[in-house]
């Protein structure tokens, strides 16, 4: 084969290879261009949240996040609020355990991913519209009406962003709090096995929630230091990096123990206000024990669990310095009767909060349906240089026995709605006469109560009881006039009552026994929790 022939043969072979290669290439390209038929996957069924209370069969706290029209609240923020509530739930549980009440805490509604149901209530108005709680509560109420079945129990905790119009306090069974940032961080500290966390104003958030769970302000004892009560100023202590020193007192936990959301649904809470009567009690000083000892008997028509004795220094300031001593009560062999005994070391009263020489002592009965009753309140003094109370703390009390007042008539120069003068002689401390509201002595004149006891009697003095839940309006300066004929009147006694606490139960002892049928009680000054000059009497009697 010559060279020319070899080249031609080679070219022919290359051409064949190119053709074959081209065909193969075209064939592969066509195969690659064929699109497989698209099989559309059905949309996945969205997961349905399953909401249950994370404490078996318990009532649950309603957690609300209120967003005014000019604020935003995305899923991240709501998840942060959920995390905050789960931490607070564990914190309260640890405090209950440490005070001897077991691992008991409020219930929360959570889903299968342990996220708290946070009710996002979108306000109808911008933040500048909301001033206080009233309008916010109205819109929350409308939300629950529009979403039947969402509300669980009576307690509501309303959270919001800072400056959103949401307030920062508790009122009744609803509490409010705000934060600039709800994102939790660990602090590196712990209480027992609970790792502590914090976010902006978390101490205040927990404090206000306490109010919404029925807790009043309450201070720590001197022996508790350096720990600080959450319901005193522990909210600030928590934010100052001392979160491991903040705690709930035993009286706090006794109240929470019978709070609705800490308990199961097999019982009703707050349905009946208890009638509590202190049958007898004594308050004595024990020099050997260096303690004040209080003991007594009381009756309650609702089962009682605990009693605590508070010592609140003047100025009372809402109870921030109310030091409490708590004990369980024991049922006696008599129906609805309970006994109690407490030792209160002198040194525990001075906790460094404020110097005090005048204190209010109160006895508070906690009943199993979540209510409280205060059958005893009075003032006593103490020397700031000595922890021992003065002798005016001493009491050996048996209750006043009412006379038969069925034939009496009684009236007043003013009366508030549904608070008739007859309530002053019905034998029930829970009812009371209330002057007209708002009463101004300079405009309306002195308060005056007029009594006709029906027949002349020998009288040694007047018994007055002035008490009711909430703001007190008690006599400060009182004049007693008596008469046998309703024409000729004699000023029988005039007296000042030093403090609002001592005005709760007053015995006006006459200098001499008088025989009279008609009595005037003239009150020219009142003790009040504010500037108003209203007056209240629960009971009036003679002795």
């Amino acid at each position: 084969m010559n060279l020319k022939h070899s080249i031609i043969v080679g070219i022919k072979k290359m051409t064949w290879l190119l053709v074959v290669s081209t065909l193969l290439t075209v064939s592969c390209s066509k195969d690659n261009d064929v699109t497989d038929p698209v099989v559309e996957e059905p949309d996945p069924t969205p997961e349905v949240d399953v909401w249950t209370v994370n404490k078996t069969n318990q009532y649950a706290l309603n957690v609300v996040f209120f967003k005014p029209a000019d604020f935003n609240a995305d899923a991240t923020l709501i998840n942060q609020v959920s995390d905050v509530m789960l931490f607070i739930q564990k914190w309260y549980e640890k405090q209950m355990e440490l005070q001897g009440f077991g691992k008991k805490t409020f219930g929360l509604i959570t889903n299968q991913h342990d996220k708290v149901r946070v009710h996002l209530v979108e306000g109808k108005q911008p933040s500048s519209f909301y001033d206080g709680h009233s309008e916010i509560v109205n819109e929350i109420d409308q939300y629950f009406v529009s979403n039947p079945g969402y509300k669980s129990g009576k307690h509501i905790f309303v959270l919001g962003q800072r400056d959103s119009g949401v307030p920062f306090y508790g009122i009744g069974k609803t509490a409010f709090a705000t934060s600039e940032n709800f994102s939790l961080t660990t602090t590196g500290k712990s209480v027992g096995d609970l790792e502590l966390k914090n976010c902006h104003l978390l101490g205040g958030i927990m404090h206000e929630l306490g109010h919404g769970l029925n807790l009043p302000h309450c201070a720590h004892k001197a022996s508790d230091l350096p720990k600080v009560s959450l319901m005193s100023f522990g909210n600030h202590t928590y934010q100052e990096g001392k979160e491991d020193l903040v705690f709930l007192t035993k009286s706090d936990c006794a109240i929470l123990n019978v709070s609705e959301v800490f308990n199961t649904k097999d019982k009703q809470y707050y349905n009946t206000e208890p009638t509590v009567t202190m049958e007898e009690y004594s308050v004595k000083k024990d020099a050997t024990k260096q303690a004040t000892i209080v003991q007594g008997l009381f009756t309650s028509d609702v089962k009682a669990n605990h009693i605590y004795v508070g010592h609140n220094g003047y100025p009372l300031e809402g109870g921030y310095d109310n030091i409490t001593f708590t004990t369980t009560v024991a049922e006696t062999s008599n129906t609805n009767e309970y006994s109690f005994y407490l030792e209160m070391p002198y040194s525990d009263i001075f906790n460094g909060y404020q110097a005090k020489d005048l204190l209010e002592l109160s006895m508070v009965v906690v009943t199993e349906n979540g209510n409280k009753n205060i059958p005893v309140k009075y003032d006593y003094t103490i020397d700031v240089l000595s922890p021992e109370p003065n002798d005016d703390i001493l009491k050996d009390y048996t209750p006043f026995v009412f006379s038969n007042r069925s034939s009496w008539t009684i009236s007043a120069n003013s009366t508030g709605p549904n608070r008739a003068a007859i309530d002053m002689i019905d034998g029930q401390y829970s009812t009371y006469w209330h002057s007209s509201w708002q009463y101004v002595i300079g405009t309306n004149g002195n308060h005056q109560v007029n009594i006709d006891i029906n027949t002349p009697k020998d009288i040694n003095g007047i018994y007055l009881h002035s008490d009711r839940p909430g703001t007190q309006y008690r006599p400060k300066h009182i004049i007693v006039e008596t008469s046998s004929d309703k024409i000729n009147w004699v000023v029988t006694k005039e007296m000042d009552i030093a403090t609002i606490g001592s005005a709760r139960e007053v015995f006006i002892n006459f200098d001499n026994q008088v025989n009279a049928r008609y009595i005037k009680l003239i009150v020219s000054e009142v003790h009040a929790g504010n500037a108003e000059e209203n007056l209240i009497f629960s009971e009036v009697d003679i002795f």
Side-chain angles (χ1 to χ4, degrees):
M1 182 181 296
N2 59 28
L3 179 62
K4 182 178 179 181
H5 182 262
S6 296
I7 292 172
I8 292 171
V9 171
I11 291 172
K12 287 181 178 179
K13 287 181 178 179
M14 289 176 65
T15 302
W16 171 251
L17 288 172
L18 285 170
V19 170
V20 171
S21 175
T22 301
L23 290 172
L24 288 173
T25 301
V26 171
S27 174
C28 290
S29 298
K30 287 181 179 179
D31 288 343
N32 287 341
D33 287 345
V34 175
T35 303
D36 292 333
V38 176
V39 179
E40 293 189 7
E41 296 287 339
D43 290 336
T45 303
E47 185 179 19
V48 177
D49 283 325
V50 179
W51 298 101
T52 56
V53 181
N54 64 356
K55 297 294 177 181
T56 304
N57 197 38
Q58 273 192 212
Y59 291 97
L61 175 68
N62 299 287
V63 181
V64 172
F65 194 89
F66 187 83
K67 182 193 80 65
D70 55 340
F71 273 67
N72 295 315
D74 58 17
T76 298
L77 176 58
I78 298 304
N79 282 332
Q80 290 172 348
V81 171
S82 170
D83 292 342
V84 166
M85 292 310 305
L86 289 169
F87 170 74
I88 297 175
Q89 183 187 47
K90 291 177 181 177
W91 188 88
Y92 270 77
E93 182 178 64
K94 177 55 65 177
Q95 296 301 317
M96 292 288 284
E97 181 185 14
L98 292 173
Q99 291 289 6
F101 290 85
K103 289 190 172 183
K104 192 171 183 180
T105 189
F106 56 88
L108 289 170
I109 296 177
T110 57
N111 67 9
Q112 63 272 33
H113 302 296
D114 199 29
K115 292 296 182 183
V116 175
R117 172 177 269 175
V118 179
H119 300 281
L120 178 60
V121 176
E122 301 196 21
K124 299 175 183 177
Q125 305 292 337
S127 55
S128 58
F129 173 81
Y130 300 103
D131 182 18
H133 65 275
S134 297
E135 292 299 329
I136 291 174
V137 168
N138 287 340
E139 293 193 29
I140 291 171
D141 287 344
Q142 293 171 20
Y143 168 86
F144 282 122
V145 169
S146 301
N147 295 276
Y150 275 17
K151 191 175 182 182
S152 173
K154 300 177 179 68
H155 295 265
I156 302 175
F157 193 27
V158 183
L159 294 165
Q161 291 159 289
R162 200 73 167 158
D163 301 321
S164 65
V166 174
F168 212 109
Y169 52 70
I171 181 167
K173 291 175 174 50
T174 302
F176 306 85
T178 62
S179 176
E180 290 179 359
N181 184 356
F182 286 93
S183 179
L184 286 174
T185 58
T186 57
T187 67
K189 297 180 180 181
S190 62
V191 173
D193 58 357
L194 176 65
E195 183 181 42
L196 296 177
K197 298 180 181 182
N198 205 352
C199 72
H200 179 248
L201 297 181
L202 182 59
I205 292 170
M206 295 194 299
H207 177 105
E208 299 309 334
L209 174 59
H211 288 315
L213 298 174
N214 303 331
L215 296 185
H217 289 133
C218 173
H220 42 278
K221 308 183 201 62
S223 59
D224 292 322
L225 292 169
K227 294 194 298 180
V228 178
S229 165
L230 174 70
M231 299 311 295
S232 181
F233 52 86
N235 50 332
H236 300 291
T237 304
Y238 200 100
Q239 296 307 126
E240 292 167 357
K242 302 174 186 176
E243 59 276 5
D244 54 325
L245 299 180
V246 179
F247 77 110
L248 290 176
T249 68
K250 190 170 183 178
S251 64
D252 291 333
C253 293
I255 295 168
L256 294 175
N257 186 53
V258 291
S259 173
E260 180 188 72
V261 292
F262 277 65
N263 288 282
T264 56
K265 294 181 177 179
D266 54 1
K267 188 180 294 184
Q268 295 293 313
Y269 288 83
Y270 320 128
N271 54 328
T272 303
E273 284 289 340
T275 299
V276 177
T277 302
M278 193 63 66
E279 294 185 310
E280 59 183 65
Y281 69 89
S282 67
V283 181
K284 302 184 183 302
K285 297 193 296 184
D286 189 309
T288 302
K289 294 182 176 180
Q290 285 292 287
T292 303
I293 297 174
V294 57
Q295 57 186 324
L297 292 170
F298 68 89
T299 59
S300 173
D301 58 354
V302 178
K303 187 178 184 302
N305 286 4
H306 289 83
I307 188 170
Y308 64 87
V309 177
H311 301 259
N312 196 7
Y314 278 85
L316 300 179
E317 295 183 341
Y320 287 97
D321 196 27
N322 188 25
I323 297 164
T324 60
F325 300 82
T326 307
T327 187
T328 54
V329 297
E331 295 184 65
T332 72
S333 57
N334 297 324
T335 303
N336 294 337
E337 186 182 65
Y338 302 85
S339 65
F340 63 95
Y341 176 91
L342 266 172
E343 294 183 5
M344 302 174 289
Y346 299 154
S347 57
D348 262 342
I349 302 301
F350 289 90
N351 60 3
Y353 180 80
Q354 62 183 17
K356 45 203 167 216
D357 55 8
L358 176 64
L359 298 95
E360 177 188 76
L361 183 147
S362 61
M363 300 184 192
V364 184
V365 175
V366 181
T367 57
E368 70 171 1
N369 69 348
N371 287 320
K372 303 190 298 291
N373 186 281
I374 309 175
V376 175
K377 267 187 184 180
Y378 67 90
D379 294 342
Y380 72 93
T381 58
I382 195 168
D383 186 340
V384 294
L385 300 178
S386 169
E388 181 179 342
N390 295 328
D391 285 349
D392 54 1
I393 197 174
L394 303 176
K395 294 286 181 182
D396 198 357
Y397 175 84
T398 55
F400 182 82
V401 179
F402 295 121
S403 64
N404 184 349
R405 295 167 290 170
S406 59
S407 62
W408 288 24
T409 58
I410 189 168
S411 64
N413 66 328
S414 77
T415 299
N418 303 315
R419 298 298 177 189
I422 194 69
D423 289 338
M424 290 185 274
I425 56 173
D426 66 356
Q428 301 295 322
Y429 287 120
S430 58
T431 63
Y432 53 89
W433 161 79
H434 194 306
S435 65
S436 62
W437 181 89
Q438 298 173 344
Y439 199 94
V440 179
I441 291 175
T443 302
N444 304 103
N446 296 331
H447 295 282
Q448 184 169 311
V449 175
N450 308 298
I451 306 169
D452 177 2
I453 65 175
N454 193 46
T455 185
K457 291 184 178 179
D458 291 333
I459 304 173
N460 294 300
I462 303 293
Y463 172 79
L464 298 175
H465 191 278
S466 178
D467 197 19
R468 66 146 190 187
T471 304
Q472 302 298 334
Y473 301 103
R474 296 174 178 167
K476 184 176 183 180
H477 183 83
I478 189 164
I479 301 166
V480 180
E481 295 185 5
T482 57
S483 173
S484 296
D485 55 12
K486 209 176 180 179
I487 298 173
N488 300 297
W489 292 90
V490 175
V491 175
T492 307
K493 188 72 174 182
E494 184 171 357
M495 68 179 292
D496 290 307
I497 304 168
T499 65
I500 192 170
S502 57
R504 181 178 186 268
E505 185 174 51
V506 178
F507 291 84
I508 304 174
N509 293 290
F510 296 165
D511 297 331
N512 299 290
Q513 186 182 81
V514 300
N515 185 273
R517 172 177 171 176
Y518 303 98
I519 302 168
K520 286 181 187 177
L521 304 177
I522 301 167
V523 177
S524 59
E525 291 183 77
V526 298
H527 289 287
N530 49 37
E532 297 166 9
E533 296 179 298
N534 310 319
L535 182 64
I536 288 172
F537 283 137
S538 307
E539 290 293 321
V540 175
D541 206 342
I542 61 174
F543 58 86

